[in-house]
């Protein structure tokens, strides 16, 4: 019995040392392993403007990863926060026909808009941002989907049980359709 406890104590100490003080190779494995299994990929968008690019939202890390058509990582955009280039749990994105990228920054209750550069891997500059947390027009509570038809942007405002329609510049937001969007399971209810 004493030998088993002693053996378990030595084994636990060895594992602790390996986990707390890993070699560089072990540290990279741990980083890659945690990254892959703690990431939550929530949306994808493809731009074919001049050079094909693929954008994938990694909600867990509050960022957008940009890949070329061969699957090679070109850039990582964003990171957690409220600044002009930061996000908090982005959920969805869509591209307009002119390759403006609309990102639904759910944790901050806003929409970020970036006009795409022709150069792959260049920083996304969010030239426009609009919205805030709440239940009024132009306010969102845990929004989860976004789409555009080039004139309007439609936002699935999940916790407010509605869809909002805004002009592409973020103005004139209103509940869509105008007849309501109330909570429920009937047609026209969310």
């Amino acid at each position: 019995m004493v030998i088993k406890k002693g053996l378990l104590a030595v084994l636990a100490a060895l594992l602790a040392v390996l986990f707390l003080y890993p070699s560089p190779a072990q540290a990279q494995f741990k980083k890659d392993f945690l990254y892959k299994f703690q990431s939550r990929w929530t949306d994808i968008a493809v731009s074919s403007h001049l050079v094909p690019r693929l954008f994938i939202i990694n909600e867990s890390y509050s960022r957008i990863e940009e890949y070329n058509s061969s699957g090679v990582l070109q850039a990582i955009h964003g990171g957690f926060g409220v600044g002009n280039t930061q996000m908090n749990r982005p959920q969805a994105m869509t591209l307009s026909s002119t390759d403006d990228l609309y990102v639904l920054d759910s944790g901050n209750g806003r929409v970020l808009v970036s006009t795409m550069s022709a150069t792959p891997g260049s920083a996304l500059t969010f030239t426009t941002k609009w919205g805030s947390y709440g239940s009024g027009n132009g306010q969102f509570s845990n929004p989860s989907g976004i789409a555009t038809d080039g004139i309007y942007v439609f936002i699935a405002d999940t916790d407010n049980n509605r869809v909002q329609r805004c002009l592409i510049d973020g103005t004139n937001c209103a509940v869509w359709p105008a007849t309501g969007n109330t909570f429920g399971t009937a047609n026209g209810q969310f």
Side-chain angles (χ1 to χ4, degrees):
M1 183 78 134
V2 174
I3 295 174
K4 284 185 182 179
K5 285 184 182 179
L7 185 58
L8 287 174
V10 169
L11 184 58
L14 180 61
L15 289 174
V17 166
L18 289 174
F19 187 74
L20 295 174
Y21 306 103
S23 70
Q26 291 167 328
Q28 184 61 40
F29 171 79
K30 180 180 167 186
K31 177 183 168 198
D32 291 345
F33 179 83
L34 291 175
Y35 176 77
K36 289 174 184 164
F37 290 99
Q38 290 182 344
S39 292
R40 183 168 182 263
W41 314 98
T42 58
D43 203 4
I44 190 167
V46 178
S47 168
S48 58
H49 182 73
L50 301 176
V51 179
R53 295 188 277 184
L54 184 77
F55 296 90
I56 303 173
I57 290 178
N58 184 334
E59 181 209 15
S60 300
Y61 289 85
S62 294
R63 67 188 194 188
I64 298 170
E65 298 178 7
E66 178 184 341
Y67 295 86
N68 67 16
S69 58
S70 299
V72 176
L73 180 66
Q74 299 296 298
I76 295 174
H77 308 286
F80 182 77
V82 297
N84 288 337
T85 61
Q86 297 175 314
M87 296 169 263
N88 179 4
R89 296 183 311 104
Q91 292 291 310
M93 64 186 155
T94 189
L95 282 163
S96 70
S97 60
T98 59
D99 269 354
D100 286 333
L101 181 67
Y102 291 82
V103 178
L104 192 54
D105 185 8
S106 295
N108 289 323
R110 65 184 181 177
V111 175
L112 302 171
V113 184
S114 176
T115 301
M116 303 280 280
S117 165
T119 307
S122 58
L124 287 180
T125 303
F126 295 109
T127 54
T128 307
K129 60 183 177 194
W130 42 272
S132 62
Y133 178 80
S135 59
N137 289 344
Q139 295 181 321
F140 312 104
S141 180
N142 195 28
S144 60
I146 190 167
T148 184
D149 64 2
I151 299 169
Y152 295 103
V153 176
F154 298 87
I155 297 111
D157 192 5
T158 306
D159 287 352
N160 285 324
N161 301 304
R162 64 185 182 180
V163 172
Q164 288 197 61
R165 181 181 76 179
C166 307
L167 289 174
I168 59 171
D169 64 359
T171 60
N172 297 326
C173 294
V175 173
W176 178 90
T179 57
N181 290 354
T182 58
F183 178 73
T185 59
N187 292 341
Q189 293 182 323
F190 298 96

